[in-house]
Amino acid sequence: MDASLQQVADPTLAEMGKNLKEAMTMLEDTQRRTEEENGKKLLSGDIPGPLQGSGQDMASILQLVQNLMHGDEDEEPPSTRIQNIGEQGHIALLGHSLGAYISTLDKEKLRKLTTRILSDTTLWLCRIFRYENGCAYFHEEEREGLAKICRLAIHSRYEDFVVDGFNVLYNKKPVIYLSAAARPGLGQYLCNQLGLPFPCLSRVPCNTMFGSQHQMDVALLEKLIKDDIERGKLPLLLVANAGTAAVGHTDKIGRLKELCEQYGMWLHVEGVNLATLALGYVSSSVLAATKCDSMTLTLGPWLGLPAVPAVTLYKHDDPALTLVAGLTSNKPADKLRALPLWLSLQYLGLDGIVERIKHACQLSQRLQESLKKVNHIKILVEGELSSPVVVFGFFQGPPGSDPVPKAVSPPNMAPPAVGRERNSCDALNRWLGEQLKQLAPACGLTVMDLELEGVCLRFSPVMTAAGLGTRGEDVDQLVACIRSRLPVLTCTLQLREEFKQEVTGTAGLLYVDDPTWPGVGVVRYEHANDDKNSLKPDPEGDKIHAGLLKKLNELESDLTFKMGPEYKSMKSCIYIGMASEDTDVSELVETIAVTAREIEENSRLLENMTEVVRKGIQEAQVQLQKANEERLLEEGVLRQIPVVGSVLNWFSPVQPSQKGRTFNLTAGSLESTEHTYVYKVQGTGVTPPQTPSGTRTKPRLPGQKPFKRSLRGSDAVSETSSVSHIEELEKMEQLTGEPGQEGPEAHRPAAQPGAPTPQEAEQTGTFQDRAQRPEGDRPQMRSPGSRDLRFAQPVSSHL
């Protein structure tokens, strides 16, 4: 490209092309940024600052643009990152820079150049898409062209509109007819742009009995037109679809054209299937669009061209009305809108344009043929051979069977059951769509919710293939990803009923029927203070479920766990994700129940600990005060006088007795410290029972994750290691499987008759050891880490 730029006579054009190439290289080459540069992100990079007085060079400005474009890539999902455009994209972007340069020419040269650009582009598009003797209007907003066409239709049907304005419309209200399958928001946009009330829109339903359920009902449209004429309204314009926004179906444009000619209406056609007009073979339903009054083409997505305008082709003989409607303009800047498309069409050529559209249609056919061979995958919208859009989804049922109709329930199935089945299928398709968008991003799948079919997946390569660079290998990868996710979907459906039965039969657990969750199921733990009939938030339950979620995620299993509000309630629940065939549902449910019960007991113990300690301190203070009063009565009043008490104590000393109270946290009782001070040893007290384990540890083979069935007898265990693994598993089951024996205490040998118990032997050895020590070496206080609180009476000082 550098050599070709050197042949350009105008140095400004050559310099512009060179600068654009360098700028695009700098902006797109994000791989050159090192990790060190990534670590030097300024916190104030997104904060606007003052304009520098000295100015900046081009490299610094482009570097700032690059940082703003790619600065948050680590935080955003990969699907939102900017796409790497090719050289044809550079040509389209060059058109915007070239348009600014051309606008600086003198008026005569500018008029000649803009007229040539506009006429060439219009001629090329009309020939490529078989629209003879048409005019073109270039616009940035896709719906703007239709709004201008509506203005043209109003000026054509209302001759006095320029003079009388909306008074003419008030006497005879115009009506714009839209299909029920039109893209959302189109009617509201037209009314806002034209200043018309919403009653000027008429929504035409689609077929219900014959034909596609995504095509406009022609008979019902004719009935609506007759009714509007009888009410004194004027049928103005009809918007037909050559490829609906959802499923890509084409209306009966030929029949609609006859109806419009009969009642003097304007026919406008839009849709993705208009791109097939550039191919050698075109279906008759799409070919009929060449006879319409106007059509809108979105060449940017079709050809993978960024920042090119949409085009509305129309036929009209009065240039004055087109000028008033805004379809034509005498301003050179408005004509320069076609410059990026003028450059791009010349760069691609006719063969390149046809090849891109043909490649997209071949990708669609390739996916259709592949999906027909996949079980449990159904192409939901069929019967439209000319459409390059594929709509498919997962359905419940045996291979080869048709999915249950969504709108009409079978006679042997109640409507709630049909609704539950549809919600379940919608949730699974939504999960499948999110998985496929991550695994096969080059295919550009879209998850959408249709009124009749429910949630399904759409593959529209005409709109995405040129921009994403989709190839046939990407379609094969998409089919392979679908096959790899089907076992997870079918196993999850099979395990749902088993999970429900296990939860129902487990005390303390409540099964929550949430049809919008695609996983195995939803469960809630019912604690002691849980109000089952209340739908209000439960803070205690939220705390327990949060701890349960943390424990389950720490197990590092293949299952995913989430916490959220219950379906149609505010209480917290545990949502369990998709499962595989070897998932042990019984172990999963038992682990959830045992763990939640342990969390509840621990939380209750911590909550009661403060109250227990507070009451123990109060009781100890009362007893110590009572003991102090008893000591005063026993010693007498004279001993309390400083001088007299010292003399009396010298003649008749009193044996001091150290009495105190100790609080046993384990037993929750208040005990005396007399045993400690007399025998110089800490009392054992009541031996607390062993705390049961929170989770039932099931013996597992090496490498086996939690909630997985045993691999015994399967091919996953090799012949050399299976015997040792099985023997080890049997030994562990013998050690831990006997009832009433837990931990190493259960396997100690039985004590002989008359022999001291281990506690007595240990205590005897302690007394013997301490008897041999000097008086000063004997311990006077309890050992650190003791779970007792001691409140000792202070000893009176003697003079």
Side-chain angles (χ1 to χ4, degrees), residues 90 103 140 151 426 454 468 533 591 691 794:
H90 294 177
S103 61
E140 301 296 334
R151 294 184 184 274
D426 290 349
L468 298 177
N533 300 325
T591 303
T691 304

Tab-separated table of all heavy atoms in Angstrom, residues 90 103 140 151 426 454 468 533 591 691 794:
chain	number	residue	atom	x	y	z
A	90	HIS	N	-10.307	-0.149	6.705
A	90	HIS	CA	-9.468	1.043	6.632
A	90	HIS	C	-9.928	1.958	5.501
A	90	HIS	O	-9.901	3.195	5.632
A	90	HIS	CB	-8.014	0.649	6.414
A	90	HIS	CG	-7.425	-0.080	7.577
A	90	HIS	ND1	-6.141	-0.578	7.568
A	90	HIS	CD2	-7.938	-0.409	8.788
A	90	HIS	CE1	-5.881	-1.180	8.719
A	90	HIS	NE2	-6.972	-1.082	9.466
A	103	SER	N	-14.198	18.711	1.575
A	103	SER	CA	-15.064	19.848	1.882
A	103	SER	C	-14.315	21.180	1.834
A	103	SER	O	-14.949	22.239	1.812
A	103	SER	CB	-15.696	19.674	3.261
A	103	SER	OG	-14.698	19.621	4.269
A	140	GLU	N	-27.292	7.707	8.700
A	140	GLU	CA	-26.562	7.007	9.749
A	140	GLU	C	-27.481	6.077	10.553
A	140	GLU	O	-27.132	4.944	10.838
A	140	GLU	CB	-25.893	8.020	10.694
A	140	GLU	CG	-24.920	8.966	10.008
A	140	GLU	CD	-23.723	8.238	9.411
A	140	GLU	OE1	-23.395	7.139	9.925
A	140	GLU	OE2	-23.130	8.761	8.447
A	151	ARG	N	-42.562	10.834	5.446
A	151	ARG	CA	-42.797	12.236	5.119
A	151	ARG	C	-43.132	12.405	3.638
A	151	ARG	O	-44.018	13.186	3.255
A	151	ARG	CB	-41.576	13.073	5.482
A	151	ARG	CG	-41.286	13.150	6.967
A	151	ARG	CD	-40.099	14.080	7.221
A	151	ARG	NE	-39.730	14.097	8.625
A	151	ARG	CZ	-40.290	14.893	9.527
A	151	ARG	NH1	-41.241	15.731	9.155
A	151	ARG	NH2	-39.902	14.860	10.785
A	426	ASP	N	-36.770	-23.147	28.567
A	426	ASP	CA	-36.207	-21.815	28.316
A	426	ASP	C	-34.939	-21.593	29.127
A	426	ASP	O	-33.959	-21.021	28.627
A	426	ASP	CB	-37.240	-20.747	28.672
A	426	ASP	CG	-38.402	-20.723	27.684
A	426	ASP	OD1	-38.284	-21.378	26.628
A	426	ASP	OD2	-39.422	-20.071	27.978
A	454	GLY	N	-40.517	-19.599	22.643
A	454	GLY	CA	-39.777	-19.445	23.883
A	454	GLY	C	-38.342	-19.011	23.602
A	454	GLY	O	-38.023	-18.431	22.556
A	468	LEU	N	-17.099	-10.701	11.961
A	468	LEU	CA	-16.374	-11.616	12.842
A	468	LEU	C	-15.424	-12.548	12.106
A	468	LEU	O	-14.635	-13.239	12.747
A	468	LEU	CB	-17.382	-12.457	13.647
A	468	LEU	CG	-18.318	-11.689	14.580
A	468	LEU	CD1	-19.302	-12.648	15.241
A	468	LEU	CD2	-17.526	-10.934	15.636
A	533	ASN	N	-44.567	-19.791	56.325
A	533	ASN	CA	-45.650	-19.101	55.627
A	533	ASN	C	-45.335	-17.642	55.307
A	533	ASN	O	-46.120	-16.991	54.628
A	533	ASN	CB	-46.928	-19.157	56.482
A	533	ASN	CG	-47.369	-20.592	56.737
A	533	ASN	OD1	-47.205	-21.451	55.870
A	533	ASN	ND2	-47.920	-20.848	57.914
A	591	THR	N	-24.735	-33.909	52.442
A	591	THR	CA	-23.709	-32.927	52.801
A	591	THR	C	-24.329	-31.558	53.049
A	591	THR	O	-23.945	-30.850	53.991
A	591	THR	CB	-22.659	-32.837	51.682
A	591	THR	OG1	-22.094	-34.135	51.452
A	591	THR	CG2	-21.557	-31.864	52.046
A	691	THR	N	-17.631	-33.475	69.736
A	691	THR	CA	-18.393	-32.728	68.738
A	691	THR	C	-18.464	-33.538	67.461
A	691	THR	O	-17.440	-33.963	66.924
A	691	THR	CB	-17.706	-31.380	68.461
A	691	THR	OG1	-17.568	-30.692	69.697
A	691	THR	CG2	-18.508	-30.548	67.485
A	794	PRO	N	-10.158	-11.877	97.042
A	794	PRO	CA	-8.838	-11.295	97.382
A	794	PRO	C	-8.489	-11.553	98.833
A	794	PRO	O	-9.344	-11.590	99.704
A	794	PRO	CB	-9.040	-9.810	97.094
A	794	PRO	CG	-10.514	-9.589	97.195
A	794	PRO	CD	-11.155	-10.846	96.722
